[in-house]
Amino acid sequence: MGPTHDGRALQRLLDELGRLPGIGPKSAQRIAYHLLSADDEEARRLAAAIVDVKEQVHFCPVCFSYATGETCDICADHGRDRSAICVVQEPRDVTAIERTATYHGLYHVLGGVISPMDKIGPDQLHVRELLSRLTSDEVQEVILATNPNVEGETTATYLARTIAPLGVRVTRLASGLPVGGDLEYADEVTLGRAIEARREV
């Protein structure tokens, strides 16, 4: 005898949860059974939140971080220091740096890193858009905040060489961040010190 309709619904939920990063079969089961025991309103709130975020959140056309308005909140904030742009790999890295409350400039999200193994070069990243932001005299410094691993260092080196002829100061986050680590997992103190002690490239 085949699975019941309810059984198929539960398996579908387990399958979808299992596709999420960091969620293995056991975690998927815990979440699924929690939702089954939760009241209908809690489950509907979660479903509505997922639908809303997909419908309302898009990439900022200026920095390529996440936005709900015409641009992201940081690009729209005229109180930010517009002489500095911090270049990161992903939008989650913006959140990590903002948690330090150390940096008050703007950001630019590359959307990844140079990785020949994955056939990702500068043309697949938001490099041209970054360079176009440097054509005005407003930006005085570009802070390269890619992850301290091989791909991140390769990307930072490429950007430093590309930006240098433009006459803009280029700096890199200081040591203190673990090699091979991700910015999103760095604690606020370590990441804040790395920003403050950035160096010339």
Side-chain angles (χ1 to χ4, degrees):
M1 189 171 179
T4 65
H5 179 75
D6 290 344
R8 289 196 302 271
L10 176 57
Q11 188 58 50
R12 182 183 168 204
L13 178 59
L14 289 169
D15 290 344
E16 292 301 326
L17 290 171
R19 291 189 178 95
L20 299 174
I23 303 294
K26 289 186 178 179
S27 295
Q29 279 188 346
R30 281 196 295 272
I31 296 169
Y33 290 131
H34 169 77
L35 291 172
L36 283 171
S37 63
D39 59 55
D40 290 351
E41 182 56 32
E42 182 180 348
R44 287 195 179 94
R45 280 200 310 270
L46 175 60
I50 293 171
V51 171
D52 286 348
V53 79
K54 291 302 293 180
E55 290 180 346
Q56 298 176 21
V57 178
H58 56 272
F59 288 114
C60 174
V62 177
C63 73
F64 298 95
S65 188
Y66 292 130
T68 53
E70 186 175 341
T71 63
C72 73
D73 291 343
I74 293 174
C75 285
D77 183 355
H78 294 290
R80 303 287 299 204
D81 176 8
R82 297 186 173 269
S83 69
I85 294 179
C86 183
V87 180
V88 296
Q89 294 177 204
E90 303 291 349
R92 61 178 175 262
D93 298 328
V94 173
T95 304
I97 292 176
E98 283 297 286
R99 280 200 310 265
T100 71
T102 304
Y103 176 68
H104 306 290
L106 302 177
Y107 292 91
H108 190 85
V109 179
L110 293 172
V113 283
I114 296 171
S115 177
M117 291 282 290
D118 299 316
K119 298 181 179 177
I120 299 175
D123 290 343
Q124 282 73 52
L125 306 175
H126 298 299
V127 174
R128 280 193 299 269
E129 293 88 346
L130 170 63
L131 297 178
S132 71
R133 296 178 69 184
L134 305 181
T135 56
S136 72
D137 294 333
E138 192 173 34
V139 180
Q140 302 297 313
E141 179 184 10
V142 172
I143 304 163
L144 302 176
T146 51
N147 288 333
N149 53 27
V150 173
E151 293 82 2
E153 292 296 337
T154 299
T155 304
T157 300
Y158 170 82
L159 290 174
R161 290 173 178 168
T162 305
I163 295 169
L166 302 178
V168 177
R169 181 184 182 218
V170 181
T171 57
R172 180 86 169 107
L173 292 191
S175 59
L177 293 174
V179 174
D182 291 338
L183 289 184
E184 65 177 315
Y185 299 123
D187 64 273
E188 288 87 343
V189 174
T190 300
L191 189 52
R193 286 176 179 168
I195 292 168
E196 289 175 334
R198 61 187 181 270
R199 54 183 168 75
E200 294 280 351
V201 176

